[in-house]
């Protein structure tokens, strides 16, 4: 468990996984919307999180480390150790986005600031001698998209459960404020953002019965 500074007043807790036999490459593993205890590295806090790990293959950060990758898995804002537990009646993403908007800030920008600081920490590890990639599920997939689009240090990206459009995001009860950039649709939607990753390798994964990211919207993006 490590803590690093993303900006002067912001400390980011994270899991740093260093394999016994590192292969030289690194991965920024970004957790999903349901992250509470450390599920991405295989740590469960209760029966519900244990079920999530099994049902959604959630411990992908741990599996990458088992394959020789050095992995950093930060707690994103209002998740994990950074969760404001007194606001349980609201979606943590939407609440954080609303709070930041009062100060003229966007949640996606602050999340990306934290992730880019995580990239710096990962690159400083002695075990890293090769390229680094980024991966995430659902909410983590969306942040993988943004991180790889703006940071050329990400050599490849694997985004799961987020091949949909922002138009689709506006049709659900909880819109997940970490995904929205004001004015973005003036320039394009998710296909255009994913396109910024080219020519670096990109793998997009979609579940055909994913109720959160319906296939019809994914095909629209495709």
């Amino acid at each position: 468990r490590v803590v690093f500074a993303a900006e002067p007043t912001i400390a980011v807790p994270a899991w740093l996984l260093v394999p016994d036999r590192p292969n030289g490459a690194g991965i920024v593993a970004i957790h999903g919307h349901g992250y509470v205890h450390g599920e991405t590295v295989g740590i469960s806090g209760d029966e519900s999180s244990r079920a999530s790990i099994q049902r959604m293959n959630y411990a992908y950060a741990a599996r990458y480390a088992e394959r020789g990758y050095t992995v950093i898995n930060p707690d994103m804002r209002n998740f994990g150790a950074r969760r404001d537990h007194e606001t349980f009646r609201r979606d943590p993403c939407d609440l954080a986005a609303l709070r930041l908007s009062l100060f003229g800030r966007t949640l996606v920008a602050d999340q990306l600031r934290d992730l880019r600081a995580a990239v710096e920490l990962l690159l400083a590890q002695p075990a890293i001698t090769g390229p680094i990639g980024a991966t995430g599920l659902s909410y983590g997939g969306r942040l993988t998209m943004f991180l790889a689009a703006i940071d050329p240090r990400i050599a490849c990206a694997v985004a799961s459960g987020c091949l949909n459009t922002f138009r689709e995001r506006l049709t659900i009860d909880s819109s997940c404020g970490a995904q929205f950039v004001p004015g973005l649709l003036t320039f394009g939607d998710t296909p255009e953002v994913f396109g910024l990753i080219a020519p670096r390798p990109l793998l997009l994964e979609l579940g055909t019965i994913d109720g959160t990211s319906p296939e019809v919207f994914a095909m629209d993006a495709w």
Side-chain angles (χ1 to χ4, degrees), residues 24-115:
I27 292 179
V28 181
I30 311 173
H31 64 73
H33 192 275
Y35 177 89
V36 178
H37 302 284
E39 290 85 351
T40 323
V41 297
I43 296 175
S44 61
D46 53 29
E47 185 58 38
S48 175
S49 66
R50 284 191 291 273
S52 293
I53 291 172
Q54 184 172 3
R55 185 177 70 256
M56 299 188 295
N57 294 320
Y58 213 159
Y60 45 89
R63 291 200 301 276
Y64 277 115
E66 290 168 354
R67 288 163 173 77
Y69 294 92
T70 300
V71 182
I72 187 149
N73 176 215
D75 290 7
M76 304 313 298
R77 300 188 185 215
N78 223 1
F79 286 98
R82 307 173 79 182
R83 178 72 179 266
D84 181 354
H85 291 283
E86 294 184 358
T87 58
F88 61 92
R89 290 182 296 175
R90 296 192 65 98
D91 179 274
C93 290
D94 291 344
L95 181 63
L98 287 170
R99 286 173 169 173
L100 285 168
S101 70
L102 295 174
F103 296 93
R105 298 173 69 138
T106 61
L107 180 57
V108 65
D110 281 5
Q111 301 284 44
L112 288 171
R113 184 178 294 109
D114 292 355
L115 287 170

Coordinates of all heavy atoms in Angstrom, one line a residue, residues 24-115:
G24 N 9.5 -6.4 -16.6 CA 9.9 -5.1 -17.1 C 8.8 -4.2 -17.5 O 9.0 -3.0 -17.6
A25 N 7.6 -4.7 -17.8 CA 6.5 -3.8 -18.2 C 5.6 -3.5 -17.0 O 5.6 -4.1 -16.0 CB 5.7 -4.5 -19.3
G26 N 4.9 -2.4 -17.2 CA 4.0 -2.0 -16.1 C 2.6 -1.7 -16.6 O 2.4 -1.5 -17.8
I27 N 1.6 -1.7 -15.6 CA 0.2 -1.5 -16.0 C -0.4 -0.6 -14.9 O -0.2 -0.8 -13.7 CB -0.5 -2.8 -16.1 CG1 -0.1 -3.6 -17.3 CG2 -2.0 -2.5 -16.1 CD1 -0.8 -4.9 -17.4
V28 N -1.1 0.4 -15.4 CA -2.0 1.2 -14.5 C -3.4 0.5 -14.6 O -4.0 0.5 -15.6 CB -2.1 2.7 -15.0 CG1 -3.1 3.5 -14.1 CG2 -0.8 3.3 -15.1
A29 N -3.8 -0.1 -13.5 CA -5.1 -0.8 -13.4 C -6.1 0.1 -12.7 O -5.9 0.5 -11.6 CB -4.9 -2.1 -12.7
I30 N -7.2 0.4 -13.4 CA -8.1 1.4 -12.8 C -9.4 0.6 -12.5 O -10.0 -0.1 -13.3 CB -8.4 2.5 -13.9 CG1 -7.1 3.0 -14.4 CG2 -9.3 3.6 -13.2 CD1 -7.3 4.0 -15.6
H31 N -9.8 0.8 -11.2 CA -11.0 0.0 -10.7 C -12.3 0.5 -11.3 O -12.4 1.6 -11.9 CB -11.0 0.1 -9.2 CG -11.2 1.5 -8.6 ND1 -12.4 2.1 -8.7 CD2 -10.4 2.3 -8.0 CE1 -12.3 3.3 -8.1 NE2 -11.1 3.5 -7.7
G32 N -13.3 -0.3 -11.1 CA -14.6 0.0 -11.6 C -15.5 0.8 -10.6 O -15.0 1.1 -9.5
H33 N -16.7 1.1 -11.0 CA -17.6 1.9 -10.2 C -17.9 1.3 -8.8 O -18.2 2.0 -7.8 CB -18.9 2.1 -11.0 CG -19.8 3.2 -10.4 ND1 -20.7 3.0 -9.4 CD2 -19.9 4.5 -10.7 CE1 -21.3 4.1 -9.1 NE2 -20.8 5.0 -9.9
G34 N -18.0 -0.1 -8.7 CA -18.3 -0.7 -7.5 C -17.2 -0.9 -6.5 O -17.4 -1.5 -5.5
Y35 N -16.0 -0.4 -6.8 CA -14.9 -0.6 -6.0 C -15.1 0.0 -4.6 O -15.5 1.2 -4.4 CB -13.7 0.1 -6.6 CG -12.4 0.0 -5.9 CD1 -11.5 -1.0 -6.0 CD2 -12.0 1.1 -5.0 CE1 -10.3 -1.1 -5.3 CE2 -10.8 1.0 -4.3 CZ -9.9 0.0 -4.5 OH -8.7 -0.1 -3.8
V36 N -14.8 -0.8 -3.5 CA -14.9 -0.3 -2.2 C -13.7 -0.7 -1.3 O -13.1 0.2 -0.7 CB -16.2 -0.9 -1.5 CG1 -16.3 -0.4 0.0 CG2 -17.4 -0.5 -2.2
H37 N -13.3 -1.9 -1.4 CA -12.3 -2.4 -0.4 C -10.9 -2.7 -1.0 O -9.9 -2.7 -0.3 CB -12.8 -3.7 0.2 CG -14.1 -3.6 0.9 ND1 -14.2 -3.0 2.1 CD2 -15.3 -4.0 0.5 CE1 -15.5 -3.0 2.5 NE2 -16.2 -3.6 1.5
G38 N -10.8 -2.9 -2.3 CA -9.5 -3.3 -2.9 C -9.8 -4.5 -3.8 O -8.9 -5.3 -4.1
E39 N -11.0 -4.6 -4.3 CA -11.4 -5.7 -5.1 C -10.5 -6.0 -6.4 O -10.3 -7.1 -6.8 CB -12.9 -5.6 -5.6 CG -13.9 -5.7 -4.5 CD -14.1 -4.4 -3.7 OE1 -13.4 -3.5 -3.9 OE2 -15.1 -4.4 -2.9
T40 N -10.0 -4.9 -6.9 CA -9.2 -5.0 -8.2 C -7.9 -5.8 -7.9 O -7.3 -6.4 -8.8 CB -8.9 -3.6 -8.7 OG1 -10.0 -2.8 -8.6 CG2 -8.6 -3.7 -10.2
V41 N -7.4 -5.8 -6.7 CA -6.2 -6.5 -6.3 C -6.6 -7.8 -5.6 O -5.7 -8.5 -5.1 CB -5.2 -5.7 -5.5 CG1 -4.7 -4.5 -6.3 CG2 -5.8 -5.2 -4.2
G42 N -7.9 -8.1 -5.5 CA -8.3 -9.4 -4.9 C -8.6 -9.3 -3.5 O -8.8 -10.3 -2.8
I43 N -8.7 -8.1 -2.9 CA -9.1 -7.9 -1.5 C -10.6 -7.6 -1.3 O -11.1 -6.7 -1.9 CB -8.2 -6.8 -0.9 CG1 -6.7 -7.2 -0.9 CG2 -8.7 -6.5 0.6 CD1 -5.8 -6.1 -0.4
S44 N -11.3 -8.4 -0.6 CA -12.7 -8.2 -0.4 C -13.0 -7.9 1.0 O -12.3 -8.3 2.0 CB -13.5 -9.5 -0.8 OG -13.1 -10.6 0.1
G45 N -14.0 -7.1 1.2 CA -14.3 -6.6 2.6 C -15.6 -7.3 3.2 O -15.7 -7.3 4.4
D46 N -16.4 -7.8 2.3 CA -17.6 -8.5 2.8 C -18.1 -9.5 1.7 O -17.4 -9.6 0.6 CB -18.7 -7.5 3.1 CG -19.0 -6.5 1.9 OD1 -18.8 -6.9 0.7 OD2 -19.4 -5.4 2.2
E47 N -19.2 -10.1 1.9 CA -19.7 -11.1 1.0 C -20.0 -10.5 -0.3 O -19.8 -11.1 -1.4 CB -20.9 -11.8 1.6 CG -21.4 -13.0 0.8 CD -20.4 -14.1 0.6 OE1 -19.6 -14.3 1.5 OE2 -20.3 -14.6 -0.6
S48 N -20.6 -9.3 -0.3 CA -20.9 -8.6 -1.6 C -19.7 -8.4 -2.5 O -19.8 -8.6 -3.7 CB -21.6 -7.3 -1.3 OG -21.9 -6.6 -2.5
S49 N -18.6 -7.9 -1.9 CA -17.4 -7.7 -2.7 C -16.8 -9.0 -3.1 O -16.2 -9.1 -4.2 CB -16.4 -6.8 -1.9 OG -15.9 -7.5 -0.8
R50 N -16.9 -10.0 -2.3 CA -16.3 -11.3 -2.7 C -17.1 -11.8 -3.9 O -16.5 -12.4 -4.9 CB -16.4 -12.3 -1.6 CG -15.3 -12.1 -0.5 CD -15.3 -13.3 0.4 NE -16.4 -13.3 1.3 CZ -16.6 -12.7 2.4 NH1 -15.6 -11.9 2.9 NH2 -17.7 -12.8 3.2
A51 N -18.4 -11.6 -3.9 CA -19.3 -12.1 -5.1 C -18.9 -11.3 -6.3 O -18.9 -11.8 -7.4 CB -20.7 -11.9 -4.7
S52 N -18.7 -10.0 -6.2 CA -18.3 -9.1 -7.3 C -17.0 -9.6 -7.9 O -16.8 -9.6 -9.2 CB -18.2 -7.7 -6.9 OG -19.4 -7.1 -6.5
I53 N -16.0 -9.9 -7.1 CA -14.7 -10.4 -7.6 C -14.9 -11.6 -8.5 O -14.3 -11.7 -9.6 CB -13.8 -10.6 -6.4 CG1 -13.4 -9.3 -5.8 CG2 -12.5 -11.4 -6.9 CD1 -12.6 -9.5 -4.5
Q54 N -15.7 -12.5 -8.0 CA -15.9 -13.8 -8.7 C -16.8 -13.6 -10.0 O -16.5 -14.1 -11.1 CB -16.6 -14.8 -7.8 CG -16.7 -16.2 -8.5 CD -17.2 -17.2 -7.5 OE1 -17.4 -17.0 -6.4 NE2 -17.3 -18.5 -8.0
R55 N -17.9 -12.8 -9.9 CA -18.8 -12.7 -11.0 C -18.2 -11.9 -12.1 O -18.5 -12.2 -13.3 CB -20.1 -12.0 -10.4 CG -21.2 -11.9 -11.5 CD -22.5 -11.3 -10.9 NE -22.3 -9.8 -10.6 CZ -22.2 -9.3 -9.4 NH1 -22.1 -10.1 -8.4 NH2 -22.1 -8.0 -9.2
M56 N -17.5 -10.8 -11.8 CA -17.0 -9.9 -12.8 C -15.5 -10.1 -13.1 O -14.9 -9.2 -13.8 CB -17.3 -8.5 -12.4 CG -18.8 -8.2 -12.3 SD -19.1 -6.4 -12.0 CE -18.4 -6.1 -10.4
N57 N -14.9 -11.1 -12.6 CA -13.4 -11.3 -12.8 C -12.7 -10.0 -12.4 O -11.8 -9.5 -13.1 CB -13.1 -11.7 -14.2 CG -13.6 -13.0 -14.6 OD1 -13.6 -13.9 -13.8 ND2 -14.1 -13.1 -15.8
Y58 N -13.1 -9.5 -11.2 CA -12.7 -8.1 -10.8 C -11.2 -8.0 -10.4 O -10.7 -6.9 -10.5 CB -13.6 -7.7 -9.6 CG -13.9 -6.2 -9.6 CD1 -15.0 -5.8 -8.8 CD2 -13.1 -5.3 -10.2 CE1 -15.3 -4.4 -8.8 CE2 -13.4 -3.9 -10.2 CZ -14.5 -3.5 -9.4 OH -14.8 -2.2 -9.3
A59 N -10.6 -9.1 -10.0 CA -9.2 -9.0 -9.5 C -8.2 -9.0 -10.7 O -7.1 -9.7 -10.6 CB -8.9 -10.1 -8.6
Y60 N -8.4 -8.1 -11.7 CA -7.5 -8.2 -12.8 C -6.1 -7.6 -12.5 O -5.1 -7.9 -13.1 CB -8.1 -7.5 -14.0 CG -8.8 -6.2 -13.8 CD1 -8.2 -4.9 -13.8 CD2 -10.2 -6.1 -13.5 CE1 -8.8 -3.7 -13.6 CE2 -10.9 -4.9 -13.3 CZ -10.2 -3.7 -13.4 OH -10.9 -2.6 -13.1
A61 N -6.1 -6.6 -11.6 CA -4.7 -6.1 -11.2 C -3.8 -7.2 -10.7 O -2.7 -7.3 -11.0 CB -4.9 -5.0 -10.2
A62 N -4.4 -8.0 -9.8 CA -3.6 -9.1 -9.2 C -3.2 -10.1 -10.3 O -2.1 -10.6 -10.3 CB -4.5 -9.8 -8.2
R63 N -4.1 -10.4 -11.3 CA -3.7 -11.4 -12.3 C -2.6 -10.9 -13.2 O -1.8 -11.6 -13.7 CB -5.0 -11.7 -13.1 CG -6.0 -12.5 -12.4 CD -7.0 -13.3 -13.3 NE -7.7 -12.4 -14.2 CZ -8.8 -11.7 -13.8 NH1 -9.3 -11.9 -12.6 NH2 -9.4 -10.9 -14.7
Y64 N -2.6 -9.6 -13.5 CA -1.5 -9.0 -14.2 C -0.2 -9.2 -13.5 O 0.9 -9.5 -14.0 CB -1.7 -7.5 -14.5 CG -2.6 -7.3 -15.8 CD1 -3.8 -6.7 -15.6 CD2 -2.2 -7.6 -17.0 CE1 -4.6 -6.5 -16.7 CE2 -3.0 -7.4 -18.1 CZ -4.2 -6.8 -18.0 OH -5.0 -6.6 -19.1
A65 N -0.2 -8.9 -12.2 CA 1.0 -9.0 -11.4 C 1.5 -10.5 -11.3 O 2.7 -10.8 -11.4 CB 0.8 -8.6 -9.9
E66 N 0.6 -11.4 -11.3 CA 0.9 -12.8 -11.3 C 1.6 -13.2 -12.7 O 2.4 -14.2 -12.7 CB -0.3 -13.7 -11.2 CG -0.9 -13.6 -9.8 CD -2.3 -14.2 -9.7 OE1 -2.8 -14.6 -10.7 OE2 -2.8 -14.3 -8.6
R67 N 1.4 -12.4 -13.7 CA 2.0 -12.7 -15.0 C 3.3 -11.9 -15.2 O 3.8 -11.8 -16.3 CB 1.0 -12.4 -16.1 CG -0.1 -13.4 -16.2 CD -1.3 -12.9 -17.0 NE -2.3 -14.0 -17.2 CZ -3.1 -14.5 -16.3 NH1 -3.1 -14.0 -15.1 NH2 -4.0 -15.4 -16.6
G68 N 3.8 -11.2 -14.1 CA 5.1 -10.5 -14.2 C 5.0 -9.0 -14.4 O 6.0 -8.4 -14.4
Y69 N 3.8 -8.4 -14.5 CA 3.7 -7.0 -14.7 C 3.7 -6.3 -13.3 O 3.2 -6.8 -12.3 CB 2.4 -6.6 -15.4 CG 2.3 -7.1 -16.8 CD1 1.7 -8.3 -17.1 CD2 2.8 -6.3 -17.8 CE1 1.6 -8.8 -18.4 CE2 2.7 -6.8 -19.2 CZ 2.1 -8.0 -19.4 OH 2.0 -8.5 -20.7
T70 N 4.4 -5.1 -13.3 CA 4.4 -4.3 -12.1 C 3.1 -3.4 -12.2 O 2.9 -2.7 -13.3 CB 5.6 -3.4 -12.0 OG1 6.8 -4.3 -11.9 CG2 5.6 -2.5 -10.8
V71 N 2.3 -3.4 -11.3 CA 0.9 -2.8 -11.4 C 0.7 -1.7 -10.3 O 1.0 -2.0 -9.1 CB -0.2 -3.9 -11.2 CG1 -1.6 -3.2 -11.4 CG2 0.0 -5.0 -12.3
I72 N 0.2 -0.6 -10.7 CA -0.3 0.4 -9.8 C -1.8 0.5 -9.9 O -2.4 0.6 -11.0 CB 0.4 1.8 -9.9 CG1 -0.1 2.7 -8.8 CG2 0.1 2.4 -11.3 CD1 0.9 3.6 -8.3
N73 N -2.5 0.5 -8.8 CA -4.0 0.5 -8.7 C -4.5 1.5 -7.7 O -4.6 1.2 -6.6 CB -4.5 -0.9 -8.4 CG -6.0 -1.0 -8.2 OD1 -6.5 -1.8 -7.4 ND2 -6.7 -0.3 -9.0
P74 N -4.6 2.8 -8.2 CA -5.0 3.9 -7.3 C -6.5 3.9 -6.9 O -7.3 3.4 -7.7 CB -4.6 5.1 -8.0 CG -4.8 4.7 -9.5 CD -4.4 3.3 -9.6
D75 N -6.8 4.3 -5.7 CA -8.1 4.6 -5.3 C -8.5 5.9 -5.9 O -8.0 7.0 -5.6 CB -8.3 4.7 -3.8 CG -8.1 3.4 -3.1 OD1 -7.7 2.4 -3.7 OD2 -8.3 3.4 -1.8
M76 N -9.5 5.9 -6.8 CA -10.0 7.1 -7.4 C -10.8 8.0 -6.5 O -11.2 7.5 -5.4 CB -10.8 6.8 -8.7 CG -10.0 6.0 -9.7 SD -8.3 6.5 -10.0 CE -8.5 8.1 -10.7
R77 N -11.0 9.2 -6.8 CA -11.7 10.1 -5.9 C -13.1 9.7 -5.5 O -13.9 9.3 -6.4 CB -11.7 11.5 -6.5 CG -10.3 12.1 -6.7 CD -10.3 13.5 -7.1 NE -8.9 13.9 -7.4 CZ -8.4 15.1 -7.2 NH1 -9.1 16.0 -6.6 NH2 -7.2 15.4 -7.5
N78 N -13.4 9.6 -4.2 CA -14.6 9.2 -3.6 C -14.9 7.7 -3.8 O -16.0 7.2 -3.8 CB -15.8 10.0 -4.2 CG -16.8 10.4 -3.0 OD1 -16.5 10.1 -1.9 ND2 -17.9 11.0 -3.4
F79 N -13.8 6.9 -3.9 CA -13.9 5.5 -3.9 C -12.8 4.9 -2.9 O -11.8 5.6 -2.7 CB -13.7 4.9 -5.3 CG -14.9 5.0 -6.2 CD1 -14.9 6.1 -7.1 CD2 -15.9 4.2 -6.1 CE1 -16.0 6.2 -7.9 CE2 -17.0 4.3 -6.9 CZ -17.1 5.3 -7.8
G80 N -13.0 3.7 -2.4 CA -12.0 3.1 -1.6 C -11.8 3.9 -0.3 O -12.7 4.3 0.3
A81 N -10.5 4.1 0.0 CA -10.1 4.8 1.2 C -10.5 6.3 1.1 O -10.5 7.0 2.1 CB -8.6 4.7 1.5
R82 N -10.9 6.8 -0.1 CA -11.2 8.2 -0.3 C -12.7 8.4 -0.3 O -13.1 9.5 -0.5 CB -10.6 8.7 -1.6 CG -9.1 8.4 -1.8 CD -8.6 8.7 -3.2 NE -8.4 10.1 -3.3 CZ -7.9 10.6 -4.5 NH1 -7.7 9.9 -5.5 NH2 -7.8 11.9 -4.6
R83 N -13.5 7.4 0.0 CA -14.9 7.5 0.0 C -15.4 8.3 1.1 O -15.0 8.1 2.3 CB -15.5 6.1 0.0 CG -17.1 6.0 0.0 CD -17.6 6.4 -1.4 NE -19.1 6.4 -1.4 CZ -19.8 5.3 -1.8 NH1 -19.1 4.2 -2.2 NH2 -21.1 5.4 -1.8
D84 N -16.4 9.2 0.9 CA -17.1 9.9 1.9 C -18.3 9.1 2.3 O -19.3 9.1 1.6 CB -17.5 11.3 1.4 CG -18.3 12.1 2.4 OD1 -18.6 11.6 3.5 OD2 -18.6 13.3 2.1
H85 N -18.2 8.3 3.4 CA -19.2 7.3 3.7 C -20.5 8.0 4.3 O -21.5 7.3 4.4 CB -18.6 6.3 4.7 CG -17.6 5.4 4.1 ND1 -17.9 4.4 3.3 CD2 -16.2 5.5 4.2 CE1 -16.8 3.8 3.0 NE2 -15.8 4.4 3.5
E86 N -20.5 9.2 4.5 CA -21.7 9.9 5.0 C -22.6 10.3 3.9 O -23.7 10.8 4.1 CB -21.3 11.1 5.9 CG -20.6 10.8 7.2 CD -20.3 12.0 8.0 OE1 -20.7 13.1 7.6 OE2 -19.8 11.8 9.1
T87 N -22.2 10.0 2.7 CA -23.0 10.4 1.5 C -23.5 9.2 0.8 O -23.6 9.1 -0.4 CB -22.2 11.3 0.5 OG1 -21.0 10.6 0.2 CG2 -21.7 12.6 1.2
F88 N -23.9 8.1 1.5 CA -24.2 6.9 0.9 C -25.5 6.9 0.1 O -25.7 6.0 -0.7 CB -24.4 5.8 2.0 CG -25.5 6.1 3.0 CD1 -26.7 5.6 2.8 CD2 -25.2 6.9 4.2 CE1 -27.7 5.9 3.7 CE2 -26.2 7.2 5.1 CZ -27.5 6.7 4.9
R89 N -26.3 8.0 0.2 CA -27.5 8.0 -0.5 C -27.4 8.6 -1.9 O -28.3 8.6 -2.7 CB -28.6 8.8 0.3 CG -29.1 8.1 1.6 CD -30.1 8.9 2.3 NE -29.6 10.2 2.7 CZ -30.3 11.1 3.3 NH1 -31.6 11.0 3.5 NH2 -29.7 12.3 3.7
R90 N -26.2 9.0 -2.2 CA -25.9 9.5 -3.6 C -24.8 8.7 -4.2 O -23.9 8.2 -3.6 CB -25.5 11.0 -3.5 CG -26.6 11.9 -3.0 CD -26.2 13.4 -3.2 NE -26.2 13.7 -4.7 CZ -27.2 14.2 -5.3 NH1 -28.3 14.6 -4.7 NH2 -27.1 14.5 -6.6
D91 N -24.9 8.7 -5.6 CA -23.8 8.1 -6.3 C -22.5 8.9 -6.1 O -22.4 10.1 -6.2 CB -24.1 8.1 -7.8 CG -23.0 7.5 -8.6 OD1 -22.1 8.2 -9.0 OD2 -23.1 6.3 -8.9
P92 N -21.4 8.2 -5.7 CA -20.1 8.9 -5.3 C -19.6 9.7 -6.5 O -19.0 10.7 -6.2 CB -19.2 7.7 -4.9 CG -19.8 6.5 -5.5 CD -21.3 6.7 -5.5
C93 N -19.7 9.2 -7.7 CA -19.2 10.0 -8.9 C -20.0 11.3 -9.0 O -19.4 12.4 -9.2 CB -19.3 9.2 -10.1 SG -18.2 7.8 -10.2
D94 N -21.3 11.2 -9.0 CA -22.1 12.4 -9.3 C -21.9 13.4 -8.2 O -21.8 14.6 -8.4 CB -23.6 12.0 -9.3 CG -24.0 11.2 -10.6 OD1 -23.1 11.2 -11.5 OD2 -25.0 10.6 -10.6
L95 N -21.8 12.9 -6.9 CA -21.6 13.8 -5.8 C -20.3 14.5 -5.9 O -20.2 15.7 -5.7 CB -21.7 13.0 -4.5 CG -21.5 13.9 -3.2 CD1 -22.7 14.8 -3.1 CD2 -21.5 13.0 -2.0
A96 N -19.2 13.8 -6.2 CA -17.9 14.4 -6.3 C -17.9 15.4 -7.5 O -17.3 16.5 -7.4 CB -16.9 13.4 -6.6
A97 N -18.6 15.1 -8.6 CA -18.6 16.0 -9.7 C -19.4 17.3 -9.4 O -19.0 18.4 -9.7 CB -19.3 15.3 -10.9
L98 N -20.5 17.1 -8.7 CA -21.3 18.3 -8.3 C -20.5 19.2 -7.3 O -20.5 20.4 -7.5 CB -22.6 17.9 -7.6 CG -23.7 17.3 -8.5 CD1 -24.8 16.7 -7.7 CD2 -24.2 18.4 -9.5
R99 N -19.8 18.6 -6.4 CA -19.0 19.4 -5.5 C -17.9 20.2 -6.2 O -17.7 21.4 -5.9 CB -18.4 18.5 -4.4 CG -19.3 17.9 -3.4 CD -18.7 16.9 -2.5 NE -19.5 16.5 -1.3 CZ -19.2 15.6 -0.5 NH1 -18.1 14.8 -0.7 NH2 -19.9 15.3 0.5
L100 N -17.2 19.5 -7.1 CA -16.1 20.2 -7.8 C -16.6 21.3 -8.7 O -15.9 22.3 -8.9 CB -15.3 19.1 -8.6 CG -14.4 18.2 -7.7 CD1 -13.9 17.1 -8.6 CD2 -13.2 19.0 -7.2
S101 N -17.8 21.1 -9.3 CA -18.3 22.1 -10.2 C -18.5 23.4 -9.5 O -18.4 24.5 -10.1 CB -19.7 21.6 -10.8 OG -20.7 21.6 -9.8
L102 N -18.7 23.4 -8.2 CA -18.9 24.7 -7.4 C -17.6 25.4 -7.4 O -17.6 26.6 -7.1 CB -19.4 24.4 -6.0 CG -20.8 23.8 -5.9 CD1 -21.1 23.4 -4.5 CD2 -21.8 24.8 -6.5
F103 N -16.5 24.7 -7.6 CA -15.2 25.4 -7.6 C -14.6 25.5 -9.0 O -13.4 25.8 -9.2 CB -14.2 24.6 -6.7 CG -14.6 24.5 -5.3 CD1 -15.4 23.5 -4.8 CD2 -14.2 25.6 -4.4 CE1 -15.8 23.5 -3.5 CE2 -14.6 25.6 -3.1 CZ -15.4 24.5 -2.6
G104 N -15.4 25.3 -10.0 CA -15.0 25.5 -11.4 C -14.1 24.4 -11.9 O -13.3 24.6 -12.8
R105 N -14.2 23.2 -11.3 CA -13.4 22.0 -11.7 C -14.2 20.9 -12.1 O -15.4 20.8 -11.8 CB -12.5 21.6 -10.5 CG -11.6 22.6 -10.0 CD -10.8 22.2 -8.7 NE -9.9 21.1 -8.9 CZ -8.7 21.1 -8.4 NH1 -8.3 22.0 -7.6 NH2 -7.9 20.0 -8.6
T106 N -13.7 20.0 -13.0 CA -14.4 18.8 -13.4 C -13.7 17.6 -12.8 O -12.5 17.5 -12.7 CB -14.4 18.7 -15.0 OG1 -13.0 18.6 -15.4 CG2 -15.0 19.9 -15.6
L107 N -14.6 16.6 -12.5 CA -14.1 15.4 -11.8 C -13.2 14.6 -12.8 O -12.1 14.1 -12.3 CB -15.3 14.5 -11.4 CG -14.9 13.2 -10.7 CD1 -14.0 13.5 -9.5 CD2 -16.1 12.5 -10.3
V108 N -13.5 14.5 -14.0 CA -12.7 13.7 -15.0 C -11.3 14.3 -15.0 O -10.3 13.6 -15.1 CB -13.3 13.6 -16.4 CG1 -13.4 15.0 -17.0 CG2 -12.6 12.6 -17.2
A109 N -11.1 15.7 -15.0 CA -9.8 16.3 -15.0 C -9.0 15.9 -13.8 O -7.8 15.6 -13.9 CB -9.9 17.8 -15.2
D110 N -9.7 16.0 -12.6 CA -9.0 15.7 -11.4 C -8.6 14.2 -11.3 O -7.5 13.8 -10.8 CB -9.9 16.1 -10.2 CG -9.8 17.6 -9.9 OD1 -9.2 18.3 -10.7 OD2 -10.4 18.0 -8.9
Q111 N -9.5 13.3 -11.8 CA -9.2 11.9 -11.8 C -7.9 11.6 -12.7 O -7.1 10.8 -12.4 CB -10.4 11.0 -12.3 CG -11.6 11.2 -11.5 CD -11.6 10.4 -10.2 OE1 -10.6 10.4 -9.5 NE2 -12.7 9.7 -9.9
L112 N -7.9 12.3 -13.8 CA -6.8 12.1 -14.8 C -5.5 12.7 -14.2 O -4.4 12.2 -14.4 CB -7.1 12.8 -16.1 CG -8.2 12.0 -16.9 CD1 -8.6 12.8 -18.1 CD2 -7.6 10.7 -17.4
R113 N -5.6 13.8 -13.4 CA -4.4 14.3 -12.7 C -3.9 13.2 -11.8 O -2.6 13.0 -11.7 CB -4.8 15.6 -12.0 CG -3.6 16.3 -11.3 CD -4.0 17.6 -10.6 NE -4.4 18.6 -11.6 CZ -5.7 18.9 -11.7 NH1 -6.6 18.4 -11.0 NH2 -6.0 19.9 -12.6
D114 N -4.7 12.6 -11.1 CA -4.3 11.5 -10.1 C -3.7 10.4 -10.9 O -2.7 9.8 -10.5 CB -5.5 11.0 -9.3 CG -6.0 12.0 -8.3 OD1 -5.4 13.1 -8.2 OD2 -7.0 11.8 -7.7
L115 N -4.3 10.0 -12.0 CA -3.8 8.9 -12.8 C -2.4 9.2 -13.5 O -1.5 8.3 -13.5 CB -4.8 8.5 -13.9 CG -6.0 7.8 -13.4 CD1 -7.1 7.6 -14.5 CD2 -5.7 6.4 -12.8

